[in-house]
Amino acid sequence: MAGLFWLQPGVNRVGCGDDCLVCLPEGPAHLGDLLWQSGLLLWQPVDGPEQSLQTDLNGAPSVVDFGDWSFFVVDREGRLAARLRDRAWAAKQPFSGLAYFDDDPQWVIEADWETLSPPLSMEVPNVSGDLKQVEVGHRAVFNVGGEPASLLPMAVSDNEVFFVFRDRTSGRETYGAGRFLKVPVPTGRKIRLDFNRAYNPPCAFTPFATCPLPPPENWLPFPITAGERKWLPK
């Protein structure tokens, strides 16, 4: 990921020129325009036919390629942004790999899946400073070493439950802004939290991500020495 550019309604100029909202590191001063109007998104290249673009709202977004670069548009609560990718990045800076704690069955926890009545409504921030309203109808309740804890899910789909959490390893052994955890949807009153599968969000690797941050309710007061460690680029 090499750039994140928030679009404005109307014409958004794309290229290397100083007047471009979507700034490219190389190429023509004016590659084309992104037109966002009346709920539609169009790509109007200087040399080529106009085409309609899909954002990532309902699946894989449309991708515009040019040389070693590409961009696509993401939808974040009705705000659109062009994400720029350097497809030749790996050749210039090989990926150093990921680090994990040793797999530990003690960090596979059967938690109580409690219903919240009424549901909890809260605002969840992301790394860009934006807030997202989240309705929470359940929570996972458990204890570690006799210390009670709970986690609120950020999303519950037909197949999985998504958590964002911090713990006492955050900023030391693991990524400072917290980690993600996805688990299967429970079929009863228990939910299986396998912290060995905790992983870093995209913002651990690039400043051009829009990751949600853990709410204060999901700041755990003990270290979780399981899952993915902090990424240290070489």
Side-chain angles (χ1 to χ4, degrees), residues 188-203:
R189 297 183 180 179
K190 294 287 186 178
I191 185 169
R192 188 172 187 263
L193 305 177
D194 186 352
F195 287 103
N196 295 290
R197 296 182 176 273
Y199 64 98
N200 289 333
C203 55

Side-chain angles (χ1 to χ4, degrees), residues 18-29:
D18 294 337
D19 59 345
C20 291
L21 188 144
V22 180
C23 301
L24 306 181
E26 59 186 33

Side-chain angles (χ1 to χ4, degrees), residues 120-191:
L120 175 66
S121 179
M122 63 181 180
E123 290 185 327
V124 177
N126 64 23
V127 294
S128 299
D130 299 314
L131 296 174
K132 178 181 180 180
Q133 196 75 25
V134 175
E135 297 292 325
V136 183
H138 293 82
R139 67 175 178 175
V141 179
F142 57 103
N143 71 78
V144 172
E147 189 163 5
S150 64
L151 288 177
L152 299 174
M154 297 298 97
V156 179
S157 70
D158 293 337
N159 301 314
E160 63 186 17
V161 182
F162 174 55
F163 297 97
V164 185
F165 72 93
R166 281 175 57 96
D167 64 272
R168 293 296 296 273
T169 69
S170 300
R172 297 179 177 88
E173 298 170 278
T174 62
Y175 180 55
R179 289 182 287 171
F180 290 176
L181 179 65
K182 291 181 178 180
V183 303
V185 171
T187 56
R189 297 183 180 179
K190 294 287 186 178
I191 185 169

Side-chain angles (χ1 to χ4, degrees), residues 69-152:
W69 304 88
S70 66
F71 68 81
F72 57 94
V73 178
V74 298
D75 186 314
R76 296 296 177 265
E77 304 301 310
R79 296 179 66 203
L80 301 188
R83 273 192 169 152
L84 179 68
R85 279 184 172 165
D86 178 3
R87 298 186 296 174
W89 173 84
K92 294 179 287 188
Q93 185 178 345
F95 186 57
S96 59
L98 302 174
Y100 298 87
F101 291 99
D102 292 337
D103 192 79
D104 188 346
Q106 293 187 11
W107 286 111
V108 181
I109 295 174
E110 294 291 327
D112 294 325
W113 188 233
E114 293 187 353
T115 300
L116 298 177
S117 183
L120 175 66
S121 179
M122 63 181 180
E123 290 185 327
V124 177
N126 64 23
V127 294
S128 299
D130 299 314
L131 296 174
K132 178 181 180 180
Q133 196 75 25
V134 175
E135 297 292 325
V136 183
H138 293 82
R139 67 175 178 175
V141 179
F142 57 103
N143 71 78
V144 172
E147 189 163 5
S150 64
L151 288 177
L152 299 174

